[in-house]
Amino acid sequence: MKISRRDFIKAGAVGTASMGLSGSLFSSNKWFQPVSAKGKSQEKIAFTYHTTNCGGRCAFKCTVRDGKLSMIQPNTWTDKRFSTVCLKGLSEIERIYSPDRLQTPLKRVGERGEGKFVPISWNEALTTIADKLKELKRKYGGKSILFSCSSGIEYTYPFLPSLLGAQFAIESGIDIGLANGLEECIGSKAYGYVQNETSDWVNSSTIILLGCNILETTLTDSKFFFKAKDAGAKIITIDPNCSTTASKSDQWIRIKPGTDGALLLGMISVILDNQWYQHDYLVKNTSSPFLIRADNQKLLKQNDTHEGSTTNPYLVWDENSNSLKPFNAPGVKAKLEGEFTVDGVKVKTVFTALKENQKQYTLKWAAEKSEIGEDIIFELTRDYATRGPAVLGWGFGGGDKWANADITGHSGGILGALTGNIGRVGGGVGVALYHGTSWSAQLSSWELPSQFKATPLEMTTPDMREKPNSVKAVINLGNTLQQHFANLHKTEKWIKQLDFIVTIDPFHNPSVDYSDIVLPACTAFESEYDIVNMQINRSHVLLSQKVIEPLHESKSDFRIEKELAAKLGLDQYLPKTPEEYQKARLNSPDPRLKGINLNTLKENNCIMRLQVPDEPYRGYMDQIYPTPSTKLELYHEKLAEDHQALPTFEEPGEASPNNPLFKKYPLQFSSAHTKYRVHSQFTNAKWINQYQPEPRLEMNPLDASSRGLQNGDLVEVFNDRGTFKARCLLTEAYRPGQIRLHEGWWSKHMAAGNLQNVTNDVLNPRQYKLRYGPVIPYNDTLVEVKKV
Ligand SMILES: Nc1nc2c(c(=O)[nH]1)N[C@H]1C(S)=C(S)[C@@H](COP(=O)(O)OP(=O)(O)OC[C@H]3O[C@@H](n4cnc5c(=O)[nH]c(N)nc54)[C@H](O)[C@@H]3O)O[C@H]1N2
Ligand SMILES: Nc1nc2c(c(=O)[nH]1)N[C@H]1C(S)=C(S)[C@@H](COP(=O)(O)OP(=O)(O)OC[C@H]3O[C@@H](n4cnc5c(=O)[nH]c(N)nc54)[C@H](O)[C@@H]3O)O[C@H]1N2
Ligand SMILES: [Mo]
């Protein structure tokens, strides 16, 4: 039988009974019952939480009537400020019954990408997968298998990659552009979370949000934004567009896209010129007094002058003795500024070098680059540097997804250091989303015997599409093929020559269509087991329970991994049930988990606060950093030959007027995130789509009129990589020169194409030297638009 997915769903070839309730929600009204029916039905309450990657982490109290999810309410947290739910959570009552659910395992019958499948049994699907993986492992080794995991999948198949010796990737090259620069200063590897907990914002005088639409992308932290505002903080949003967050801020500064680094460099100059920096903080807590050798651009260390030191500390110029001393020697008073000669070699302090490097980045220069007025940059800097504790908070979608993002991150670290705003009550620099910094605890892990080890990721997954590598099979946990790679045509070329592709997902997302075998997974509401998942978030432990039985023929990720392991003859090493697994994880000596176990969690609505102080979490209050010197390191030796030891502004990789391509493609294409969806999730949520029924290309009326476009026209967006079509939405909120389609729309919702057909995938070679490797510069994209 050869039928397409659509035919197969229409015909109801399988799962006919469940189609009745999923397909006809609005048409038949069978779903809703009169209030009088209440009491006649079987009712139960169960608790789960949202695992989608919106940062909200809402916990749900779910009412199940006659086996169906019927009501979602916010669950009560120990700290009640987190008891929230948004439209996305409420919409699950409809979405989990969506006709887009994968209902049975599928086997591809058409070409990859065509979307032609036939239903098969679980046994056939799992046997096919296991046989293929065994064969690949035998022929090429486990490294020929890549598990590629979406964000927000809670159970990330923690055992199979190790059992197979396979590679595992989660979000390779994503959300790391700014962190690459910042964390070279801090020494951490924490995705740029060098913030205090958002609840500490009430102690801030100034909060600068740079490309950070927190009121949409961490909706549930909105109360902390408004509490800070009420407490007197001045909130300034810097965004090319009048975002939701900009509209609620005290000030909106409209920046030219891709120039965040120029703005921050200008601010550094203003601080230096006006001596608004914290001299003592810089000497005590940063590498500013370290000495740079003129001959090789390296920092001067003890072995440079006295060979044989085992500790080999950095040297500074000690004011007391007027001589070189190890920076950490007792009683040293390091000079912040100066040039000296040591054994015939000229050296200068990092601070002096910074001052020299900044000469090129005048206020005037920054104003021209960023297209923000000089007076505005001056006032912004004064607010930041002189009004007391200040936050410089950014997102992952504004300045991050550009080829020059690391320079912005580095400049941000320097701004925080100059003003003493790192490790300070009411301070912080870095990502301000997800309520990402809060108290945490160490869970135990479930150990496999030592012979089972995953293969470390050979290279970033975007590179796998072009550079020689071992991967022959990709197991998609989620919608990674559409979402994780810019330039979809290149992705398609890669996957068409792979030996084997599997997708495991609750929904028929676009990555499904490229797959050879498809497995239907449960959503966060379904399971075969009473206890499902557990995580630590917002200083609490959250447990999820089964709310309803698996819909259609779906299975939980735990069950799928377990059954696949059984087909490989290796399931004896895995926990028998999720309950056994979560029990083992909680069996930890960490005192912050004292008294928290599965029983006490069940007694407490499945949420308990860790045994931690009531205070907001604040990082680095001891001013000890995980860098080689334990100080904030402003000078990055390893980037000296790239002229980035101190930040040097670079134009965007593609979306810059200096690029010859700009003449042909004069518009910058951005694909920000929206409150209505989480990436490609909720694209099919009917209740939400009342508000955003179709993809809309947002643009300023000026850009539209010069192209003869009217609001609502169908347009084609194109560049040399590809094209897509959508209706346009004209809005003054959008900056001329930048156009936007929110990321995530499935291909089938587009008038034609996919937005990833045009996005820029050219990686910046310098960034291979940085902590996280190169960032995918989705927003660093030039396009042109024409009427269809
Ligand atoms: N509801 C919802 N929440 C989410 C997500 C979601 O999909 N939906 N996704 C989550 C994930 S994984 C991420 S990474 C985060 C992203 O969260 P954010 O970083 O807040 O996301 P964006 O909306 O992509 O970008 C933020 C703002 O940057 C602006 N911007 C665009 N270009 C520039 C620029 O060059 N400079 C500056 N200064 N601003 C610019 C945009 O106009 C936008 O208002 O959100 C998380 N939260
Ligand atoms: N052009 C452009 N591209 C972007 C971005 C951008 O701004 N612009 N943003 C990037 C960013 S910041 C990020 S973080 C990535 C996000 O990329 P992804 O994390 O891949 O995006 P999602 O659409 O959230 O994909 C989640 C998938 O997991 C499935 N899923 C949900 N729950 C479960 C579960 O319990 N089990 C299983 N097996 N599957 C489940 C969902 O149905 C969905 O298909 O996208 C990146 N892509
Ligand atoms: Mo992200």
Side-chain angles (χ1 to χ4, degrees):
M1 179 176 56
K2 275 197 183 186
I3 49 171
S4 75
R5 185 186 74 90
R6 274 166 196 273
D7 293 339
F8 145 61
I9 283 180
K10 265 195 211 131
V14 285
T16 334
S18 41
M19 277 311 298
L21 62 93
S22 57
S24 56
L25 195 69
F26 290 101
S27 52
S28 68
N29 272 343
K30 279 181 198 149
W31 184 251
F32 296 106
Q33 300 290 322
V35 176
S36 56
K38 191 174 177 328
K40 291 182 194 141
S41 46
Q42 287 264 345
E43 196 166 298
K44 76 159 195 182
I45 301 285
F47 301 100
T48 185
Y49 52 85
H50 238 177
T51 52
T52 56
N53 186 26
C54 67
R57 210 46 89 237
C58 294
F60 305 137
K61 178 180 169 190
C62 305
T63 304
V64 179
R65 281 192 196 122
D66 295 332
K68 292 191 207 88
L69 177 60
S70 313
M71 178 158 67
I72 290 182
Q73 292 167 289
N75 194 1
T76 309
W77 295 54
T78 317
D79 180 341
K80 299 201 173 41
R81 292 176 299 177
F82 299 121
S83 308
T84 51
V85 63
C86 90
L87 192 52
K88 295 187 284 296
L90 298 176
S91 76
E92 292 286 27
I93 299 174
E94 181 271 328
R95 191 183 77 122
I96 65 163
Y97 298 104
S98 152
D100 288 317
R101 282 296 294 267
L102 291 163
Q103 305 192 358
T104 66
L106 301 174
K107 184 169 86 176
R108 177 172 62 83
V109 288
E111 290 298 307
R112 281 198 183 134
E114 225 183 337
K116 288 194 180 156
F117 295 100
V118 289
I120 54 172
S121 70
W122 269 100
N123 188 43
E124 184 185 346
L126 294 174
T127 307
T128 310
I129 297 172
D131 288 350
K132 189 73 199 175
L133 297 186
K134 274 192 272 190
E135 180 199 323
L136 287 171
K137 186 174 159 69
R138 197 179 56 243
K139 278 200 199 149
Y140 309 105
K143 64 182 178 191
S144 61
I145 302 158
L146 170 72
F147 284 79
S148 178
C149 188
S150 279
S151 64
I153 291 187
E154 174 101 55
Y155 187 80
T156 57
Y157 293 67
F159 304 114
L160 265 186
S162 301
L163 292 177
L164 286 161
Q167 305 192 52
F168 179 86
I170 184 155
E171 308 264 280
S172 199
I174 297 176
D175 295 339
I176 44 112
L178 295 162
N180 257 336
L182 176 65
E183 292 195 26
E184 214 57 50
C185 306
I186 314 291
S188 55
K189 208 167 172 193
Y191 264 73
Y193 288 112
V194 189
Q195 291 291 355
N196 297 343
E197 191 165 354
T198 325
S199 50
D200 188 44
W201 282 8
V202 287
N203 298 309
S204 311
S205 304
T206 304
I207 297 169
I208 298 177
L209 296 174
L210 179 70
C212 176
N213 193 10
I214 187 172
L215 297 187
E216 292 202 36
T217 54
T218 308
L219 260 174
T220 49
D221 264 3
S222 303
K223 54 167 71 72
F224 300 111
F225 174 101
F226 291 108
K227 279 220 162 82
K229 215 172 153 191
D230 290 346
K234 179 173 180 183
I235 304 186
I236 305 159
T237 290
I238 304 171
D239 197 302
N241 311 304
C242 191
S243 66
T244 304
T245 307
S247 73
K248 303 287 178 198
S249 300
D250 295 287
Q251 188 184 358
W252 165 42
I253 298 177
R254 176 172 260 190
I255 189 170
K256 181 179 171 191
T259 68
D260 294 31
L263 171 67
L264 299 194
L265 285 165
M267 289 173 71
I268 293 174
S269 292
V270 174
I271 289 175
L272 293 173
D273 292 347
N274 292 282
Q275 300 190 13
W276 287 337
Y277 51 86
Q278 302 289 321
H279 174 281
D280 293 353
Y281 180 96
L282 287 170
V283 170
K284 229 173 120 194
N285 303 321
T286 77
S287 70
S288 306
F290 294 6
L291 298 162
I292 306 165
R293 298 173 59 130
D295 58 344
N296 63 8
Q297 308 304 310
K298 297 247 184 281
L299 291 171
L300 188 70
K301 294 177 110 178
Q302 183 137 49
N303 277 354
D304 296 346
T305 54
H306 300 80
E307 266 176 49
S309 159
T310 46
T311 52
N312 198 20
Y314 297 101
L315 298 178
V316 295
W317 194 267
D318 176 31
E319 279 186 48
N320 291 331
S321 62
N322 216 11
S323 67
L324 288 173
K325 283 277 163 71
F327 77 101
N328 50 2
V332 165
K333 193 171 172 213
K335 255 178 112 54
L336 183 61
E337 287 186 65
E339 283 192 64
F340 315 92
T341 305
V342 178
D343 297 339
V345 175
K346 281 220 156 78
V347 298
K348 67 179 89 153
T349 70
V350 167
F351 190 76
T352 296
L354 176 69
K355 273 186 150 176
E356 285 172 9
N357 191 52
Q358 284 297 129
K359 288 213 173 100
Q360 49 188 324
Y361 304 126
T362 59
L363 181 55
K364 185 164 175 284
W365 172 87
E368 276 166 13
K369 282 280 166 203
S370 63
E371 296 182 1
I372 302 170
E374 282 183 44
D375 50 340
I376 295 172
I377 299 180
F378 184 85
E379 188 191 312
L380 171 74
T381 313
R382 194 176 50 200
D383 283 341
Y384 180 63
T386 70
R387 290 183 77 235
V391 170
L392 173 59
W394 55 62
F396 286 124
D400 192 275
K401 292 169 173 30
W402 291 82
N404 61 5
D406 53 326
I407 303 166
T408 313
H410 189 180
S411 308
I414 292 177
L415 276 173
L418 289 174
T419 54
N421 271 311
I422 303 177
R424 179 186 198 181
V425 176
V429 169
V431 175
L433 297 177
Y434 285 96
H435 208 90
T437 26
S438 55
W439 298 98
S440 194
Q442 191 65 49
L443 291 167
S444 292
S445 53
W446 181 282
E447 296 296 335
L448 291 176
S450 57
Q451 74 265 32
F452 298 117
K453 287 237 173 350
T455 302
L457 198 60
E458 275 178 315
M459 60 184 75
T460 104
T461 57
D463 267 343
M464 286 181 181
R465 299 174 307 164
E466 286 176 288
K467 295 188 180 167
N469 66 84
S470 319
V471 171
K472 302 207 177 285
V474 174
I475 317 288
N476 285 307
L477 310 172
N479 185 17
T480 68
L481 297 176
Q482 168 184 293
Q483 276 301 123
H484 290 198
F485 303 96
N487 193 353
L488 187 57
H489 293 316
K490 198 184 281 176
T491 312
E492 281 170 341
K493 243 195 211 156
W494 171 57
I495 53 186
K496 284 200 170 143
Q497 53 82 42
L498 287 172
D499 285 10
F500 192 52
I501 305 174
V502 176
T503 296
I504 307 175
D505 201 290
F507 291 94
H508 195 126
N509 69 49
S511 296
V512 164
D513 285 335
Y514 301 108
S515 312
D516 303 319
I517 300 285
V518 183
L519 301 180
C522 290
T523 66
F525 296 83
E526 304 142 49
S527 182
E528 308 85 355
Y529 306 96
D530 290 336
I531 299 288
V532 188
N533 280 310
M534 185 182 69
Q535 64 169 236
I536 296 180
N537 212 296
R538 291 164 161 71
S539 316
H540 291 66
V541 180
L542 310 179
L543 185 71
S544 68
Q545 297 176 315
K546 165 171 40 180
V547 178
I548 55 171
E549 295 296 331
L551 287 172
H552 315 295
E553 287 183 31
S554 68
K555 292 188 190 226
S556 65
D557 290 305
F558 183 95
R559 184 71 155 257
I560 297 172
E561 179 175 53
K562 183 97 179 144
E563 292 187 357
L564 266 173
K567 293 276 181 201
L568 297 166
L570 296 168
D571 64 322
Q572 65 272 30
Y573 300 110
L574 272 55
K576 287 189 193 62
T577 58
E579 179 154 353
E580 188 185 15
Y581 181 47
Q582 306 310 349
K583 226 184 220 165
R585 292 173 76 207
L586 276 173
N587 186 10
S588 152
D590 192 322
R592 292 167 291 195
L593 288 165
K594 199 165 162 243
I596 302 178
N597 55 50
L598 293 182
N599 289 334
T600 52
L601 276 164
K602 279 189 240 170
E603 283 160 17
N604 287 283
N605 299 353
C606 297
I607 303 183
M608 288 173 81
R609 189 169 156 93
L610 295 167
Q611 301 287 347
V612 290
D614 287 338
E615 284 286 287
Y617 176 84
R618 300 181 183 102
Y620 306 106
M621 292 301 282
D622 57 4
Q623 294 295 341
I624 296 172
Y625 296 89
T627 53
S629 66
T630 73
K631 307 288 177 196
L632 281 170
E633 297 192 347
L634 310 187
Y635 181 83
H636 303 156
E637 270 179 335
K638 69 177 175 196
L639 295 176
E641 60 192 30
D642 305 276
H643 306 288
Q644 290 295 353
L646 288 167
T648 307
F649 184 71
E650 226 172 57
E651 284 292 323
E654 176 170 304
S656 153
N658 297 1
N659 183 348
L661 214 58
F662 187 79
K663 284 206 180 67
K664 204 163 149 202
Y665 303 120
L667 294 169
Q668 182 246 335
F669 176 68
S670 150
S671 41
H673 299 217
T674 160
K675 61 178 174 270
Y676 295 120
R677 291 200 304 280
V678 179
H679 312 296
S680 70
Q681 302 183 73
F682 303 92
T683 311
N684 58 339
K686 281 192 189 151
W687 291 1
I688 295 179
N689 284 346
Q690 297 172 74
Y691 302 99
Q692 209 194 30
E694 60 169 2
R696 279 299 182 103
L697 183 82
E698 290 164 274
M699 64 196 303
N700 189 283
L702 286 173
D703 289 326
S705 65
S706 61
R707 290 169 178 78
L709 302 174
Q710 309 270 335
N711 196 28
D713 278 350
L714 185 65
V715 297
E716 181 174 7
V717 179
F718 61 99
N719 60 18
D720 290 344
R721 283 182 289 270
T723 135
F724 68 81
K725 290 181 189 152
R727 286 191 188 285
C728 65
L729 177 74
L730 307 191
T731 160
E732 302 270 351
Y734 228 69
R735 191 182 195 281
Q738 187 184 44
I739 58 168
R740 164 167 87 186
L741 187 86
H742 283 123
E743 49 117 39
W745 287 104
W746 294 355
S747 304
K748 75 168 188 182
H749 296 119
M750 302 291 297
N754 185 299
L755 74 92
Q756 298 292 29
N757 289 350
V758 303
T759 45
N760 181 9
D761 64 332
V762 179
L763 307 181
N764 182 334
R766 175 183 69 246
Q767 293 168 354
Y768 286 100
K769 291 187 190 168
L770 298 173
R771 277 168 197 248
Y772 303 96
V775 69
I776 304 172
Y778 300 100
N779 286 337
D780 203 344
T781 294
L782 287 175
V783 293
E784 180 53 293
V785 173
K786 66 174 186 224
K787 193 168 164 170
V788 174

